[in-house]
Amino acid sequence: MENNLHNNYLFKALDAYPYELEETLDSLNYALSYNPKDAQSLCLMGRVYAEQLKDYETAKQYFAEAVAHGMDLPKTYPFYIQTLLWNDDYHEADKLIAFALTIKGIDKALMQLLKGVLLEKQGAYKLAIKSYKNANKTATNNCFIDYVNNEISRVKKKIEPKKKKVKKSKKKKK
């Protein structure tokens, strides 16, 4: 019976998020009171703290607990990694991406995309482009591929201005 109540509250929370935050939190608190180790409930609570409240440290605690109780739940990793990126925890994000790529059922294209974002934030633009291209290789969705292609062209624009400045300075010397 407790499991049914837990699931009902979890479904209510999932249905309400992100449009009805008060209902989401109420339902999540009830779900977690029935099962405080449920990875999906913990993941959604982490999302609320990261995406809505911008409290990344608390969100990280919820995500870490979600991973501890459900390491094989692939949907937790992208949200956890994104939170780490928002919080500038690059080393931790890099390790989590590497681990997530070993999880059965994980969206490898999305993990490569997040790896590209991480590398771009660190200023490694060429490696970011390489990671984005790897994301395209494993992608199975045209919208995702279009998004990644836009990311690649955006990052290339970050590299090209440096080359143009070098060319202009050479022309001035002549």
Side-chain angles (χ1 to χ4, degrees), residues 94 97 101 108-120 124-139 144 148-149 151-152 155:
D94 189 36
I97 291 169
L101 286 167
K108 295 197 184 325
L110 181 56
M111 290 299 106
Q112 288 296 327
L113 174 73
L114 291 170
K115 177 78 170 183
V117 171
L118 169 65
L119 292 166
E120 182 182 352
Y125 300 129
K126 290 181 181 180
L127 290 174
I129 290 170
K130 184 177 178 181
S131 186
Y132 289 143
K133 288 180 180 179
N134 286 337
N136 267 347
K137 288 179 186 175
T138 56
F144 183 85
V148 172
N149 287 336
E151 293 296 292
I152 291 170
V155 174

Side-chain angles (χ1 to χ4, degrees), residues 20-49:
E20 297 177 32
L21 295 176
E22 184 178 358
E23 185 179 335
T24 300
L25 287 173
D26 286 344
S27 297
L28 271 178
N29 284 323
Y30 280 119
L32 287 170
S33 71
Y34 285 105
N35 185 358
K37 296 180 180 182
D38 179 59
Q40 274 195 300
S41 299
L42 292 165
C43 177
L44 185 55
M45 189 64 91
R47 288 183 64 193
V48 169
Y49 275 94

Side-chain angles (χ1 to χ4, degrees), residues 66-95:
V67 168
H69 295 298
M71 291 181 78
D72 58 343
L73 183 65
K75 69 184 285 178
T76 303
Y77 294 94
F79 299 118
Y80 191 4
I81 292 165
Q82 184 61 58
T83 300
L84 293 171
L85 293 173
W86 285 333
N87 202 44
D88 297 332
D89 294 324
Y90 300 142
H91 181 68
E92 197 174 339
D94 189 36
K95 288 181 2 183

